[in-house]
């Protein structure tokens, strides 16, 4: 399974001004560096939590349909909407899996696509790899105000760890605090 970013987030959960405030930076000399740190910190926290924070379009790529009745979004919840499910046969012919065949469960802790009663995944000889592509819009919303406060604080702590040099015991405390904040809503794929 792979996740491709089709449209990345247009904003970050932490503004440049917020970041400079928390890093205690005056002036504009390091603005490019700080903007990069914000993005790196968000990406690190998203990877740790297996979640997406700011609205972005993603494509979940699978080799086969699942054995069960659901495609689970273990690494990209919360999902706002499922745009399409496409699959490719052995001749690389593209097909659209009609949305009447499934329900998008967008209310669960981990979102998923579940087959409707009496529906089945297509029975077709699929291409050998990357045969299924599920396009979704994921994230809490378009602005940092949509992201939970605990996550924003974890991003700030990660940003501080990237920017400043700490003694080992201070670094450990910051890492533990960051991880505690992120562990509250962490998705651990089974």
């Amino acid at each position: 399974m792979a996740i491709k970013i089709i449209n990345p987030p247009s904003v970050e959960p932490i503004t440049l001004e917020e970041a400079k405030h928390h890093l205690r930076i005056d002036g504009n000399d390091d603005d490019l560096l700080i903007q990069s740190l914000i993005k790196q910190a968000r990406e690190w926290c998203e990877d740790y939590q297996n979640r997406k924070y700011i609205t972005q379009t993603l494509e979940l790529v699978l080799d086969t349909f699942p054995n069960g009745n659901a495609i689970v979004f273990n690494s990209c919840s919360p999902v706002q909407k499922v745009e399409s499910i496409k699959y490719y046969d052995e001749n690389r012919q593209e097909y659209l899996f009609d949305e009447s065949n499934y329900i998008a469960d967008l209310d669960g802790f981990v979102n998923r696509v579940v087959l409707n009663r009496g529906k089945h995944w297509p029975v077709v000889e699929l291409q050998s790899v990357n045969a299924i592509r599920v396009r979704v819009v994921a994230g809490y919303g378009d602005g940092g105000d949509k992201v939970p406060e605990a996550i924003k604080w974890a991003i700030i702590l990660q940003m501080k760890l990237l920017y400043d040099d700490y003694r080992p015991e201070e670094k450990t405390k910051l890492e533990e605090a960051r991880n505690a904040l992120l562990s509250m809503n962490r998705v651990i794929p089974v």
Side-chain angles (χ1 to χ4, degrees):
M1 173 176 67
I3 296 176
K4 292 178 59 178
I5 298 172
I6 305 301
N7 294 318
S10 60
V11 297
E12 292 295 337
I14 307 295
T15 66
L16 178 62
E17 292 74 31
E18 289 173 310
K20 288 166 77 167
H21 173 76
H22 287 287
L23 295 173
R24 298 188 173 132
I25 297 173
D26 294 324
N28 302 328
D29 293 344
D30 286 342
D31 283 4
L32 285 176
L33 171 65
I34 296 165
Q35 287 172 328
S36 176
L37 293 176
I38 295 168
K39 182 179 178 186
Q40 290 174 53
R42 174 191 45 89
E43 289 173 345
W44 191 95
C45 292
E46 284 179 335
D47 288 346
Y48 183 88
Q49 255 195 336
N50 287 309
R51 291 194 165 282
K52 299 300 178 194
Y53 302 149
I54 300 293
T55 298
Q56 51 196 283
T57 304
L58 306 169
E59 197 166 74
L60 178 69
V61 183
L62 307 165
D63 290 339
T64 62
F65 285 106
N67 290 327
N69 71 336
I71 296 173
V72 181
F73 303 118
N74 285 323
S75 301
C76 56
S77 290
V79 171
Q80 296 174 21
K81 71 178 179 176
V82 176
E83 289 189 342
S84 65
I85 300 176
K86 294 180 181 178
Y87 60 98
Y88 300 83
D89 69 13
E90 62 186 332
N91 297 317
R92 297 187 180 155
Q93 176 69 39
E94 178 183 281
Y95 298 91
L96 180 65
F97 190 59
D98 192 87
E99 62 186 72
S100 66
N101 293 316
Y102 62 87
I103 297 170
D105 172 11
L106 306 181
D107 296 322
F109 180 70
V110 177
N111 304 131
R112 60 197 174 140
V113 168
V114 182
L115 288 171
N116 271 324
R117 289 193 196 282
K119 300 295 182 177
H120 303 279
W121 299 118
V123 179
V124 62
E125 189 67 36
L126 296 170
Q127 70 183 27
S128 54
V129 295
N130 303 329
I132 291 68
R133 294 180 178 271
V134 183
R135 189 162 291 193
V136 300
V137 176
Y140 290 105
D142 290 323
D145 59 328
K146 308 287 187 206
V147 177
E149 268 316 292
I151 291 171
K152 289 174 76 171
W153 277 104
I155 292 170
I156 289 165
L157 291 174
Q158 177 62 19
M159 191 180 54
K160 288 170 82 79
L161 285 163
L162 292 169
Y163 185 76
D164 288 325
D165 197 18
Y166 293 97
R167 293 191 312 255
E169 61 275 5
E170 291 173 326
K171 183 177 180 183
T172 299
K173 285 181 181 181
L174 287 172
E175 289 170 339
E176 288 172 354
R178 174 205 60 207
N179 293 352
L181 290 167
L182 293 174
S183 292
M184 289 190 281
N185 288 306
R186 186 176 184 194
V187 176
I188 302 174
V190 203

